[in-house]
Amino acid sequence: MMGVDMPKIVAVDTDFEDNNLEEAMARDAGIEFEITRGRTARAVINGLLETGADAAVTSYAMFPREVFEACPNLKAVSRTGVGYDEIDVEAATEHGVAVCNVPGYGTEVVSDHAITLALSVLRRINELDADMRRGVWDYARTRPLGQCRGRVFGVVGMGEIGRAAAKKAAGMGFEVVCWSRSLKPGRRTPEGYPVLRLEELLQTADVVSLHTALTPETHHLINAERLALMKPDAVLVNTARGAVVDTVALAQALCEDKLWGAGLDVFEQEQPFDFDHPIMKAPHTVLSAHAAYWSEESGRELRERAMQAAIDAVQGRIPVDCLNPCVFDSSAR
């Protein structure tokens, strides 16, 4: 039976229909489990203090410095995703709080989605579908229609997802080039893809697919100046983080026919999403509601790994995907 001395994990504003899976894992581990809502720092603090949480599993809740200062009993924050820009890792480390994420869980499904968006824009699938539903049988209305072979697919960010997207694009007939902060232009990757300067990639590629993390250096990495470097018949795809792209500048480029199209799964503001944003009126766009990360298979893996990290942390084990394992050194606190 659970008791007051049992450790407690709290699901803080998670992005799932229910938390039955997490609750079952906690129960099997002999850990109490509760759910709180609200993603602002104040809501997070209130929920953690009211529940007496030892660890939090979260999707989009904010964990700035003030959360760690206000919640001295907190031992871990485990995010159900790869990115962790909502969490102040430096402040967490200073307060002895482990921060965990789930890298690699969505490699296949996110790269699948990136390729799908690219092809949907090139083939104008959404526009063809809309015509059919209006009773219009005339593919010529949506010309030009593109294909893979003969086009260059540029990958920006060659982590696991970027490499998977590159492999799939090459398999479909694209010529693949890439850029990454960790790779030296003028060389080739182990797979044989040429490494270009970012500006050169933007000038060369027919499809530019973004797979870089969001950092201060990559915020608005694709801005008006860099969009102007792209071919007027190029396609931009973003399944990384919304703020990697200046979306207002992108919408303007599309509306002015300075860019052919875009496939976006992530946006600078998502919760709540601004349905009056200029990108909603931009032509030749395929938009999805941050769905790239999700398949039933990847979703279960995501939830299990995030929850297991929290369980490990409160039971004194170093989680596999811990960003700051130094907090488990007794001298770190």
Side-chain angles (χ1 to χ4, degrees), residues 237-254:
V237 173
N238 189 10
T239 54
R241 300 293 266 182
V244 172
V245 177
D246 181 341
T247 318
V248 172
L250 172 61
Q252 183 175 351
L254 290 164

PDB file of all heavy atoms in Angstrom, residues 237-254:
ATOM      1  N   VAL A 237      10.981  22.433 -45.414  1.00  0.00           N
ATOM      2  CA  VAL A 237      10.282  21.499 -44.527  1.00  0.00           C
ATOM      3  C   VAL A 237      10.843  21.663 -43.121  1.00  0.00           C
ATOM      4  O   VAL A 237      12.061  21.677 -42.925  1.00  0.00           O
ATOM      5  CB  VAL A 237      10.474  20.041 -45.001  1.00  0.00           C
ATOM      6  CG1 VAL A 237       9.896  19.058 -43.972  1.00  0.00           C
ATOM      7  CG2 VAL A 237       9.831  19.841 -46.357  1.00  0.00           C
ATOM      8  N   ASN A 238       9.963  21.787 -42.139  1.00  0.00           N
ATOM      9  CA  ASN A 238      10.418  21.904 -40.754  1.00  0.00           C
ATOM     10  C   ASN A 238       9.671  20.922 -39.862  1.00  0.00           C
ATOM     11  O   ASN A 238       8.469  21.064 -39.619  1.00  0.00           O
ATOM     12  CB  ASN A 238      10.229  23.324 -40.225  1.00  0.00           C
ATOM     13  CG  ASN A 238      10.900  23.527 -38.872  1.00  0.00           C
ATOM     14  OD1 ASN A 238      11.659  22.685 -38.407  1.00  0.00           O
ATOM     15  ND2 ASN A 238      10.627  24.649 -38.235  1.00  0.00           N
ATOM     16  N   THR A 239      10.398  19.913 -39.383  1.00  0.00           N
ATOM     17  CA  THR A 239       9.869  18.999 -38.367  1.00  0.00           C
ATOM     18  C   THR A 239      10.736  19.069 -37.114  1.00  0.00           C
ATOM     19  O   THR A 239      10.688  18.172 -36.273  1.00  0.00           O
ATOM     20  CB  THR A 239       9.840  17.545 -38.893  1.00  0.00           C
ATOM     21  OG1 THR A 239      11.155  17.187 -39.357  1.00  0.00           O
ATOM     22  CG2 THR A 239       8.834  17.387 -40.021  1.00  0.00           C
ATOM     23  N   ALA A 240      11.535  20.137 -36.987  1.00  0.00           N
ATOM     24  CA  ALA A 240      12.463  20.268 -35.860  1.00  0.00           C
ATOM     25  C   ALA A 240      11.796  21.040 -34.727  1.00  0.00           C
ATOM     26  O   ALA A 240      11.050  20.464 -33.934  1.00  0.00           O
ATOM     27  CB  ALA A 240      13.751  20.947 -36.330  1.00  0.00           C
ATOM     28  N   ARG A 241      12.061  22.335 -34.650  1.00  0.00           N
ATOM     29  CA  ARG A 241      11.418  23.208 -33.671  1.00  0.00           C
ATOM     30  C   ARG A 241      10.932  24.444 -34.416  1.00  0.00           C
ATOM     31  O   ARG A 241      11.603  24.950 -35.326  1.00  0.00           O
ATOM     32  CB  ARG A 241      12.388  23.607 -32.561  1.00  0.00           C
ATOM     33  CG  ARG A 241      12.953  22.436 -31.781  1.00  0.00           C
ATOM     34  CD  ARG A 241      11.912  21.726 -30.971  1.00  0.00           C
ATOM     35  NE  ARG A 241      11.840  22.221 -29.602  1.00  0.00           N
ATOM     36  CZ  ARG A 241      11.036  21.737 -28.679  1.00  0.00           C
ATOM     37  NH1 ARG A 241      10.221  20.743 -28.979  1.00  0.00           N
ATOM     38  NH2 ARG A 241      11.034  22.227 -27.464  1.00  0.00           N
ATOM     39  N   GLY A 242       9.769  24.959 -34.015  1.00  0.00           N
ATOM     40  CA  GLY A 242       9.153  26.050 -34.750  1.00  0.00           C
ATOM     41  C   GLY A 242      10.027  27.277 -34.891  1.00  0.00           C
ATOM     42  O   GLY A 242      10.090  27.905 -35.957  1.00  0.00           O
ATOM     43  N   ALA A 243      10.723  27.648 -33.811  1.00  0.00           N
ATOM     44  CA  ALA A 243      11.479  28.901 -33.805  1.00  0.00           C
ATOM     45  C   ALA A 243      12.780  28.831 -34.591  1.00  0.00           C
ATOM     46  O   ALA A 243      13.498  29.832 -34.683  1.00  0.00           O
ATOM     47  CB  ALA A 243      11.754  29.336 -32.365  1.00  0.00           C
ATOM     48  N   VAL A 244      13.116  27.686 -35.170  1.00  0.00           N
ATOM     49  CA  VAL A 244      14.267  27.625 -36.069  1.00  0.00           C
ATOM     50  C   VAL A 244      13.977  28.461 -37.320  1.00  0.00           C
ATOM     51  O   VAL A 244      14.888  28.933 -37.987  1.00  0.00           O
ATOM     52  CB  VAL A 244      14.593  26.164 -36.440  1.00  0.00           C
ATOM     53  CG1 VAL A 244      15.659  26.086 -37.525  1.00  0.00           C
ATOM     54  CG2 VAL A 244      15.066  25.409 -35.203  1.00  0.00           C
ATOM     55  N   VAL A 245      12.701  28.687 -37.614  1.00  0.00           N
ATOM     56  CA  VAL A 245      12.275  29.452 -38.790  1.00  0.00           C
ATOM     57  C   VAL A 245      11.563  30.724 -38.350  1.00  0.00           C
ATOM     58  O   VAL A 245      10.732  30.700 -37.433  1.00  0.00           O
ATOM     59  CB  VAL A 245      11.317  28.617 -39.669  1.00  0.00           C
ATOM     60  CG1 VAL A 245      10.816  29.432 -40.855  1.00  0.00           C
ATOM     61  CG2 VAL A 245      12.017  27.349 -40.145  1.00  0.00           C
ATOM     62  N   ASP A 246      11.893  31.826 -38.996  1.00  0.00           N
ATOM     63  CA  ASP A 246      11.100  33.051 -38.854  1.00  0.00           C
ATOM     64  C   ASP A 246       9.858  32.845 -39.712  1.00  0.00           C
ATOM     65  O   ASP A 246       9.885  33.042 -40.930  1.00  0.00           O
ATOM     66  CB  ASP A 246      11.910  34.254 -39.332  1.00  0.00           C
ATOM     67  CG  ASP A 246      11.148  35.571 -39.180  1.00  0.00           C
ATOM     68  OD1 ASP A 246       9.907  35.536 -39.054  1.00  0.00           O
ATOM     69  OD2 ASP A 246      11.793  36.626 -39.197  1.00  0.00           O
ATOM     70  N   THR A 247       8.779  32.426 -39.087  1.00  0.00           N
ATOM     71  CA  THR A 247       7.604  31.989 -39.838  1.00  0.00           C
ATOM     72  C   THR A 247       6.899  33.143 -40.525  1.00  0.00           C
ATOM     73  O   THR A 247       6.275  32.957 -41.577  1.00  0.00           O
ATOM     74  CB  THR A 247       6.626  31.248 -38.912  1.00  0.00           C
ATOM     75  OG1 THR A 247       7.358  30.389 -38.040  1.00  0.00           O
ATOM     76  CG2 THR A 247       5.657  30.403 -39.712  1.00  0.00           C
ATOM     77  N   VAL A 248       6.952  34.339 -39.973  1.00  0.00           N
ATOM     78  CA  VAL A 248       6.367  35.503 -40.643  1.00  0.00           C
ATOM     79  C   VAL A 248       7.122  35.777 -41.939  1.00  0.00           C
ATOM     80  O   VAL A 248       6.522  36.024 -42.992  1.00  0.00           O
ATOM     81  CB  VAL A 248       6.391  36.729 -39.720  1.00  0.00           C
ATOM     82  CG1 VAL A 248       5.971  37.981 -40.481  1.00  0.00           C
ATOM     83  CG2 VAL A 248       5.471  36.514 -38.521  1.00  0.00           C
ATOM     84  N   ALA A 249       8.457  35.724 -41.878  1.00  0.00           N
ATOM     85  CA  ALA A 249       9.259  35.930 -43.084  1.00  0.00           C
ATOM     86  C   ALA A 249       9.000  34.831 -44.111  1.00  0.00           C
ATOM     87  O   ALA A 249       8.951  35.097 -45.321  1.00  0.00           O
ATOM     88  CB  ALA A 249      10.744  35.966 -42.722  1.00  0.00           C
ATOM     89  N   LEU A 250       8.804  33.609 -43.649  1.00  0.00           N
ATOM     90  CA  LEU A 250       8.496  32.503 -44.555  1.00  0.00           C
ATOM     91  C   LEU A 250       7.163  32.742 -45.252  1.00  0.00           C
ATOM     92  O   LEU A 250       7.049  32.563 -46.476  1.00  0.00           O
ATOM     93  CB  LEU A 250       8.460  31.186 -43.786  1.00  0.00           C
ATOM     94  CG  LEU A 250       7.970  29.963 -44.560  1.00  0.00           C
ATOM     95  CD1 LEU A 250       8.879  29.668 -45.751  1.00  0.00           C
ATOM     96  CD2 LEU A 250       7.878  28.743 -43.641  1.00  0.00           C
ATOM     97  N   ALA A 251       6.140  33.143 -44.499  1.00  0.00           N
ATOM     98  CA  ALA A 251       4.829  33.400 -45.091  1.00  0.00           C
ATOM     99  C   ALA A 251       4.913  34.499 -46.142  1.00  0.00           C
ATOM    100  O   ALA A 251       4.299  34.406 -47.215  1.00  0.00           O
ATOM    101  CB  ALA A 251       3.834  33.780 -43.993  1.00  0.00           C
ATOM    102  N   GLN A 252       5.689  35.528 -45.852  1.00  0.00           N
ATOM    103  CA  GLN A 252       5.839  36.622 -46.808  1.00  0.00           C
ATOM    104  C   GLN A 252       6.525  36.138 -48.077  1.00  0.00           C
ATOM    105  O   GLN A 252       6.105  36.489 -49.192  1.00  0.00           O
ATOM    106  CB  GLN A 252       6.640  37.761 -46.182  1.00  0.00           C
ATOM    107  CG  GLN A 252       6.779  38.978 -47.093  1.00  0.00           C
ATOM    108  CD  GLN A 252       7.464  40.143 -46.409  1.00  0.00           C
ATOM    109  OE1 GLN A 252       7.701  40.125 -45.206  1.00  0.00           O
ATOM    110  NE2 GLN A 252       7.797  41.174 -47.177  1.00  0.00           N
ATOM    111  N   ALA A 253       7.576  35.322 -47.930  1.00  0.00           N
ATOM    112  CA  ALA A 253       8.279  34.797 -49.103  1.00  0.00           C
ATOM    113  C   ALA A 253       7.354  33.948 -49.964  1.00  0.00           C
ATOM    114  O   ALA A 253       7.393  34.016 -51.200  1.00  0.00           O
ATOM    115  CB  ALA A 253       9.494  33.991 -48.653  1.00  0.00           C
ATOM    116  N   LEU A 254       6.520  33.143 -49.337  1.00  0.00           N
ATOM    117  CA  LEU A 254       5.579  32.301 -50.077  1.00  0.00           C
ATOM    118  C   LEU A 254       4.534  33.148 -50.794  1.00  0.00           C
ATOM    119  O   LEU A 254       4.205  32.899 -51.958  1.00  0.00           O
ATOM    120  CB  LEU A 254       4.899  31.323 -49.120  1.00  0.00           C
ATOM    121  CG  LEU A 254       5.786  30.201 -48.560  1.00  0.00           C
ATOM    122  CD1 LEU A 254       5.128  29.546 -47.355  1.00  0.00           C
ATOM    123  CD2 LEU A 254       6.073  29.160 -49.641  1.00  0.00           C
TER     124      LEU A 254
END
